[in-house]
Amino acid sequence: MQSLRYVGKNLFLEKISLKNFLKKNKSPFYIYSENQIIYNFIKFKNIFKKTDPLICFAAKSNSNVQILKVLSKLGAGVDVVSGGELLKALKAGIKPKKIVFSGVGKTEEELQVAINKNILLINCESESEALLVNNIGKRLKKHVSIGFRLNPNIDAKTHKKISTGKAENKFGLSIKSFKSFLKKINSLKNVRLNALSVHIGSQILSETPFKRTLGVMQKLIMELKLNLNFVDFGGGFGIDYSGKDKTLNLTNYSKLVEKFAKKINCKIIFEPGRSIIGNAGILISKVQFIKRGSKKSFIILDAGMNDFMRPALYDAFHKIIPISKTSSRMTGAIEFVGPICESTCKFGVYKKYQKLNENDYIAITNVGAYGSSLSSNYNTRPLIAEILINKNKYRYIRKKQNILKLINS
Ligand code: LLP
């Protein structure tokens, strides 16, 4: 399914012509296709149908409450990494028994809320965290269901800034430390080890690291004869940003997961983010000015790196496409940049591009994941609006932040 497409010369998202939409709605804004999200979720669910995992959407990829609600209606759970995300998940109607809490530095306050709400799992990432959870549990007179995140020391073969499963990364506990911690766990009366979890990185485009991780987990669980209710394999499933990337085929992996679940006799959890929401969103921006430099022309947009960080942070490629196509060309190379006073505030360079004029609009594609959720108020710029489309209907799911509130808060 492709909810973003040209009809004639004009770009449509679902059944809405963005050219017409822009007559009434002011840029820049994020706009998402609800049906693309639904399609992506169902596709993922179907691949793993035989295992019937609990799919906990990674809220960090996009934590808009209305988007969490769409997923909640499909039966999704949520993976949260902060007290704020936890409250958003609850507000979206996600049942506590479908919420898992990950992260290396959860605070006492955050843990207390999670424990009080009786969420499914707190995935601990250190011995100290498990001790803290136990103490809070004792104080609140609760038995807390925890998981332990392991660091399997596996190279996910992805961008180094989004790799999390190698020994040099801060995430999870090494297998050695986990084994020594196991000896103490029985003395912790207010926690119960219900799960093991792993998450080796993001935007992974090869099945091999996933398969290797599964192998490591199986060996460990068998060796230690662990009796677990859940094994949480995290997220990380890559998407095709360029239109030429090798796409990830999860069918073989799903067969291994099925065998694993039978052998270990546990429920599987996944925490996909990008693969559910990544291709469902675009960022619409206006060409503010065009400036001809000696080496290239700069297309200066009204969206900045504060609105969309991925190119500045990871040199990420996101195709930029016009809202209305024309056949005339611009001469020479062009660079799409934003207004922020940083050289990294740029979105892409093209050797050739169709003719653009000031006040034309473009769409930065595949920004549904880690777009809005990574945005900031840098340069005292208000957070931009978010809009959700379903067929020919749309609704604002976040208004543009009020500048006066921003200044006075
Ligand atoms: N579970 C855990 C514990 C995670 O840390 C993450 C992502 C996920 C699940 C979801 O991973 P996904 O399925 O979305 O790959 N800002 C970066 C990505 C950082 C990912 C952090 N962890 C980017 O824009 O590429």
Side-chain angles (χ1 to χ4, degrees):
M1 176 182 162
Q2 191 44 270
S3 58
L4 182 69
R5 68 205 193 290
Y6 284 98
V7 178
K9 288 184 173 14
N10 292 319
L11 190 62
F12 276 65
L13 189 60
E14 299 214 12
K15 288 193 181 333
I16 290 193
S17 151
L18 293 165
K19 185 179 171 206
N20 290 341
F21 190 76
L22 279 156
K23 290 180 184 155
K24 290 189 216 124
N25 297 275
K26 208 168 171 309
S27 74
F29 52 80
Y30 280 98
I31 187 161
Y32 309 99
S33 154
E34 184 166 346
N35 286 303
Q36 186 74 52
I37 301 171
I38 294 171
Y39 173 85
N40 293 344
F41 183 84
I42 291 174
K43 186 173 165 202
F44 188 90
K45 195 176 151 100
N46 282 342
I47 293 174
F48 293 98
K49 194 156 88 197
K50 292 201 176 140
T51 311
D52 188 25
L54 173 61
I55 306 171
C56 290
F57 175 67
K60 66 173 80 64
S61 65
N62 191 315
S63 57
N64 189 293
V65 173
Q66 299 305 321
I67 286 181
L68 298 182
K69 263 190 194 165
V70 169
L71 290 161
S72 169
K73 280 189 198 140
L74 298 171
V78 170
D79 160 47
V80 300
V81 289
S82 70
E85 283 186 2
L86 173 58
L87 294 181
K88 277 185 168 180
L90 293 168
K91 187 172 173 191
I94 308 272
K95 299 252 174 351
K97 283 292 168 226
K98 286 187 172 183
I99 299 178
V100 299
F101 194 175
S102 313
V104 290
K106 305 174 193 82
T107 65
E108 181 162 356
E109 211 179 355
E110 289 174 323
L111 287 167
Q112 192 163 310
V113 178
I115 293 169
N116 264 327
K117 295 285 175 193
N118 298 317
I119 68 168
L120 183 66
L121 283 175
I122 294 176
N123 282 336
C124 296
E125 302 212 20
S126 62
E127 205 177 307
S128 306
E129 185 186 343
L131 296 177
L132 177 59
V133 170
N134 187 59
N135 284 340
I136 302 172
K138 205 187 231 168
R139 183 156 41 81
L140 299 177
K141 299 193 174 50
K142 290 203 182 250
H143 284 95
V144 188
S145 160
I146 65 164
F148 243 97
R149 177 168 174 182
L150 296 181
N151 183 321
N153 193 20
I154 286 175
D155 187 351
K157 301 256 181 285
T158 182
H159 192 289
K160 72 173 189 321
K161 290 192 180 167
I162 51 175
S163 184
T164 52
K166 286 174 77 183
E168 69 217 45
N169 302 125
K170 68 180 173 184
F171 301 97
L173 214 60
S174 71
I175 290 180
K176 193 165 161 237
S177 307
F178 174 68
K179 282 181 180 169
S180 84
F181 177 70
L182 257 192
K183 294 183 193 131
K184 294 185 212 158
I185 198 154
N186 285 340
S187 66
L188 305 182
K189 301 292 177 218
N190 290 77
V191 295
R192 179 175 146 64
L193 181 68
N194 272 335
L196 284 185
S197 80
V198 274
H199 172 79
I200 56 169
S202 198
Q203 184 54 16
I204 301 169
L205 285 170
S206 151
E207 287 161 53
T208 317
F210 291 115
K211 289 184 187 166
R212 285 188 57 207
T213 305
L214 186 140
V216 169
M217 296 294 273
Q218 176 152 330
K219 186 164 165 267
L220 182 75
I221 295 167
M222 308 279 285
E223 179 193 327
L224 300 175
K225 300 192 177 57
L226 295 176
N227 181 12
L228 300 170
N229 292 332
F230 306 96
V231 172
D232 178 347
F233 282 118
F237 313 104
I239 62 168
D240 182 6
Y241 279 106
S242 69
K244 290 178 227 136
D245 287 342
K246 178 182 160 255
T247 47
L248 184 61
N249 183 341
L250 289 175
T251 313
N252 286 334
Y253 174 60
S254 75
K255 288 180 191 146
L256 295 180
V257 174
E258 191 191 332
K259 275 196 204 142
F260 175 99
K262 278 198 187 123
K263 193 161 186 130
I264 304 295
N265 189 24
C266 65
K267 177 99 174 162
I268 299 295
I269 299 175
F270 285 116
E271 302 169 353
R274 191 188 313 264
S275 52
I276 304 297
I277 187 81
N279 71 351
I282 54 176
L283 170 56
I284 304 282
S285 185
K286 186 171 79 171
V287 177
Q288 188 86 335
F289 302 120
I290 297 181
K291 179 162 75 172
R292 296 193 200 288
S294 55
K295 298 209 165 126
K296 55 193 168 193
S297 296
F298 297 101
I299 310 288
I300 303 168
L301 301 175
D302 63 358
M305 67 185 268
N306 70 303
D307 302 310
F308 184 52
M309 277 287 273
R310 297 198 76 252
L313 210 51
Y314 315 111
D315 289 322
F317 173 79
H318 287 262
K319 199 169 177 186
I320 300 173
I321 58 177
I323 296 300
S324 298
K325 281 191 196 169
T326 67
S327 50
S328 49
R329 303 251 148 220
M330 296 175 84
T331 49
I334 64 156
E335 181 162 75
F336 287 95
V337 301
I340 304 282
C341 303
E342 299 243 10
S343 293
T344 52
C345 182
K346 55 188 182 187
F347 299 113
V349 185
Y350 289 79
K351 286 196 185 116
K352 49 185 185 188
Y353 209 84
Q354 75 163 49
K355 177 112 182 80
L356 287 174
N357 295 305
E358 292 180 355
N359 298 319
D360 281 351
Y361 292 96
I362 55 86
I364 307 179
T365 58
N366 295 314
V367 300
Y370 309 105
S372 171
S373 62
L374 265 177
S375 62
S376 77
N377 287 124
Y378 189 38
N379 283 196
T380 314
R381 286 164 54 88
L383 298 180
I384 61 177
E386 292 182 282
I387 299 160
L388 187 63
I389 284 188
N390 190 325
K391 298 195 181 110
N392 59 357
K393 298 216 160 48
Y394 72 90
R395 60 194 167 104
Y396 275 69
I397 55 173
R398 181 180 75 191
K399 280 195 194 137
K400 181 179 174 177
Q401 201 175 18
N402 181 303
I403 186 90
L404 292 177
K405 276 198 190 146
L406 173 62
I407 293 165
N408 296 324
S409 64

